[in-house]
């Protein structure tokens, strides 16, 4: 198996096809996450007119249009999901974007790129599709998301079968996110994390929302056998519950990057400083090993 192939992309597409009919069930959660991401548009005076949204599941495109962006194209691996955007939609694979270079001045990917096998390659294609000084915004579930569920399933399966298989997707770490943007050629890369507070009264409600969102397990290394009948009840009983219910944990990695442009700030060249740091700090500059008088 190719080391880059982590997810079954055909299964991801089929699940998103089915989820297109149940997306309204989780639309408030998706809208909250998209709101958090699009808030970053308020931090810039740049105005955008040609936007691409990737995998917005019918939530992101209306929010972009409400912000006055006249041209919004939506794309999704699933044709049915892409059509939910209500405007111009294209069914396309995030790993093979069918757009010419410099087609957009804004690209938004809200909770969609975590199912991509070649994330560095997808980011390179996104950067190429941006016009100079264009903005890229993305959110992905980060490490720690669904950790209680991951742990409960692992312990239950280990008890029942004496081993375990991946049942929750792997998620990236914050420390790697900005590096990925930089490797893809983005300027001024920024990565930060936000905790989204979610709580469910029952484990079944959590699992129902994951199915409704098309977020079922699509890891290629998953166990193809039918799970033991007791697996999910045992895991559900082990999920910790607080005063508000079961908190699944949703950690959003927020990524911001710009297509390079000559007008953007650049780091100063080494040796180009015109003032000494010692003068600015009001201290006396000494040579290495020299003791103060």
């Amino acid at each position: 198996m190719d080391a880059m192939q982590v997810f079954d992309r055909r299964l991801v597409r089929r699940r998103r096809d089915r989820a297109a009919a149940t997306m309204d069930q989780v639309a408030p959660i998706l809208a909250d996450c998209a709101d958090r991401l699009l808030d970053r548009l308020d931090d810039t005076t740049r105005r955008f007119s040609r936007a691409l949204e990737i995998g917005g599941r019918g939530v992101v495109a209306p929010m972009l249009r409400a912000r006055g962006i006249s041209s919004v194209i939506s794309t999704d691996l699933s044709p049915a999901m892409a059509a939910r955007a209500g405007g111009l939609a294209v069914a396309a694979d995030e790993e093979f974007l069918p757009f010419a270079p410099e087609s957009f001045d804004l690209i938004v990917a809200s909770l969609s790129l975590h199912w991509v096998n070649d994330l560095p390659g997808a980011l390179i294609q996104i950067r190429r599709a941006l016009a100079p000084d264009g903005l890229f915004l993305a959110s992905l579930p980060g490490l720690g998301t669904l950790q209680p569920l991951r742990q409960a399933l692992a312990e239950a399966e280990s008890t029942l079968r004496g081993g375990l298989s991946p049942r929750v997707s792997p998620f990236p770490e914050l420390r790697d996110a900005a590096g990925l943007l930089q490797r893809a050629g983005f300027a001024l890369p920024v990565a930060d994390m936000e905790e989204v507070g979610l709580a469910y009264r029952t484990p079944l409600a959590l699992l129902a929302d994951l199915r409704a969102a098309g977020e079922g397990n699509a890891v290629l290394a998953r166990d193809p056998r039918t799970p033991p009948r007791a697996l999910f009840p045992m895991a559900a009983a082990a999920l910790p519950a607080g005063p508000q219910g079961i908190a699944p944990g949703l950690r959003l990695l927020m990524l911001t990057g710009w297509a390079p442009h000559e007008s953007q700030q650049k780091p100063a060249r080494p040796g180009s400083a015109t003032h000494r740091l010692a003068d600015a700090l009001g201290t006396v500059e000494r040579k290495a090993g020299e003791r103060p008088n």
Side-chain angles (χ1 to χ4, degrees), residues 54 97 107 113 121-130 136 186:
I54 300 173
L97 292 177
I107 298 180
L113 296 179
L123 292 176
I124 289 173
Q125 292 186 58
I126 289 170
R127 195 259 303 157
R128 288 174 178 167
L130 276 174
F136 171 55
F186 286 97

Side-chain angles (χ1 to χ4, degrees), residues 88-107:
L88 183 59
V90 177
D93 191 329
E94 301 96 332
E95 297 181 353
F96 303 98
L97 292 177
F99 302 108
E102 303 185 8
S103 294
F104 307 97
D105 54 21
L106 174 66
I107 298 180

